[in-house]
Amino acid sequence: MTGNLMMLLVIKADSHLHTPMYFFLSHLSFLDICFSSVTVPKLLENLLSQKKTISVKGCLTQVFFLFMSGATEVCLLAVMAYDRFAAICHPLLYGQMMSNLLCKGLVCGSWSLGLLATLLSILPAMSLDFCGDYTIHHYSCDLPSFFALSCSDISNSFIVLLCTSLLYGIGTCFLIFYSYAHIVSTILNISSSSGRSKAFSTCSSHLTTVLLLYGSAFLRYLMPVSGSPLELIFSVQYSVVTPLVNPFIYSLKNKEVKAAVKRTLREISPLFANHIQRMLDK
């Protein structure tokens, strides 16, 4: 929470970061806050209490917001890949290609597609029946574990979930792969090694985030529901670890963000010092 809130504050406060790349990054940080807020509080409650229960409605609510955050984030990562494609492959036209109107439209489109994918997957699950008390061998609710507890016919719900997941997963993966195929081709044609290194460094943070999220999420949903330790590890990685490390990935590897953090702290420090002094004077 602290890392992602810091990214939001720094991007908002520093005018040097008012660019399309950091506009998308601010939305990624907000999505990571949503991701963590959906799963971590209930996870901590379960770890600290003897009674570890959740109602069907509570489980569905958690699934809804988890799926919503995840589906929106994969769309946003595809948008960020297009932004890097425009910046590296068409630097002279970057301002025209990534106008403010287009950036806002791409973000709104990501949220809309995320909501659509969530509704398509969740609505069939809301009609399922449950015949008694069951145990979810998991740290949080998700649709594969939820389906395993139902005594209704889940074939239609499962097909809808599978089609939606494949459409969004493969679709966004294709857009990211297509963008980076052009990016790599352009970078290899750069004559200077320093230019190639600088171009690669602008993409490394995004690629790291993509690999962390897609790798763990795909492995989690491709594995059968068994409650195995490996399944739990992958689940925690995409729902807890990835939102945790994203601010560090984008701040530690990014000189612009580190410089903006220093400028923001320098601006905040005098205000904080003056406030403390006024309190002491009173």
Side-chain angles (χ1 to χ4, degrees):
M1 294 291 288
T2 303
N4 284 297
L5 285 172
M6 182 202 71
M7 291 296 295
L8 286 172
L9 173 64
V10 169
I11 292 171
K12 180 70 175 178
D14 197 293
S15 59
H16 295 84
L17 301 184
H18 292 175
T19 62
M21 174 182 172
Y22 294 104
F23 174 71
F24 297 135
L25 181 56
S26 66
H27 281 270
L28 180 67
S29 296
F30 179 74
L31 280 167
D32 284 337
I33 291 174
C34 296
F35 233 139
S36 301
S37 302
V38 170
T39 56
V40 174
K42 187 65 178 177
L43 168 62
L44 294 176
E45 178 193 344
N46 289 337
L47 291 174
L48 295 172
S49 63
Q50 294 296 325
K51 190 178 181 181
K52 311 177 195 306
T53 60
I54 187 169
S55 65
V56 173
K57 290 182 179 179
C59 195
L60 270 175
T61 302
Q62 192 178 73
V63 169
F64 177 86
F65 286 106
L66 184 65
F67 211 98
M68 174 75 177
S69 302
T72 305
E73 187 158 329
V74 297
C75 291
L76 187 63
L77 288 174
V79 168
M80 293 173 74
Y82 174 74
D83 172 69
R84 294 298 82 210
F85 160 76
I88 294 174
C89 299
H90 304 284
L92 299 179
L93 299 176
Y94 180 69
Q96 298 176 1
M97 294 178 66
M98 301 303 297
S99 63
N100 289 334
L101 184 62
L102 178 62
C103 290
K104 292 177 181 178
L106 290 172
V107 167
C108 290
S110 297
W111 281 96
S112 300
L113 288 173
L115 177 61
L116 177 62
T118 304
L119 292 175
L120 289 174
S121 302
I122 294 294
L123 289 177
M126 295 179 67
S127 60
L128 298 178
D129 295 321
F130 298 88
C131 307
D133 294 332
Y134 292 95
T135 300
I136 296 178
H137 298 284
H138 223 279
Y139 293 125
S140 61
C141 290
D142 59 10
L143 281 179
S145 301
F146 191 75
F147 288 159
L149 306 182
S150 175
C151 53
S152 304
D153 181 15
I154 64 168
S155 56
N156 291 334
S157 299
F158 179 78
I159 291 172
V160 170
L161 173 63
L162 181 63
C163 293
T164 304
S165 300
L166 288 176
L167 179 64
Y168 277 75
I170 295 176
T172 52
C173 271
F174 172 77
L175 292 174
I176 292 171
F177 178 80
Y178 180 82
S179 298
Y180 273 100
H182 285 275
I183 289 171
V184 171
S185 176
T186 301
I187 291 175
L188 293 177
N189 289 327
I190 298 175
S191 56
S192 67
S193 58
S194 60
R196 288 195 298 270
S197 177
K198 183 178 179 180
F200 271 121
S201 67
T202 63
C203 302
S204 60
S205 299
H206 178 259
L207 274 175
T208 304
T209 301
V210 168
L211 292 174
L212 279 174
L213 179 65
Y214 276 79
S216 55
F218 271 125
L219 289 172
R220 162 66 188 95
Y221 280 93
L222 288 175
M223 293 178 66
V225 178
S226 61
S228 65
L230 193 60
E231 180 187 346
L232 298 178
I233 290 171
F234 288 139
S235 176
V236 170
Q237 182 175 326
Y238 81 79
S239 62
V240 178
V241 176
T242 300
L244 169 68
V245 300
N246 276 349
F248 298 100
I249 291 172
Y250 278 97
S251 59
L252 294 177
K253 287 190 173 185
N254 195 307
K255 294 180 180 178
E256 291 181 343
V257 173
K258 287 189 283 189
V261 170
K262 293 178 181 178
R263 286 192 295 266
T264 304
L265 290 176
R266 282 199 297 265
E267 293 174 3
I268 293 175
S269 297
L271 296 174
F272 182 72
N274 292 335
H275 179 68
I276 295 297
Q277 187 62 48
R278 285 196 298 268
M279 292 178 64
L280 292 173
D281 292 341
K282 292 179 180 179

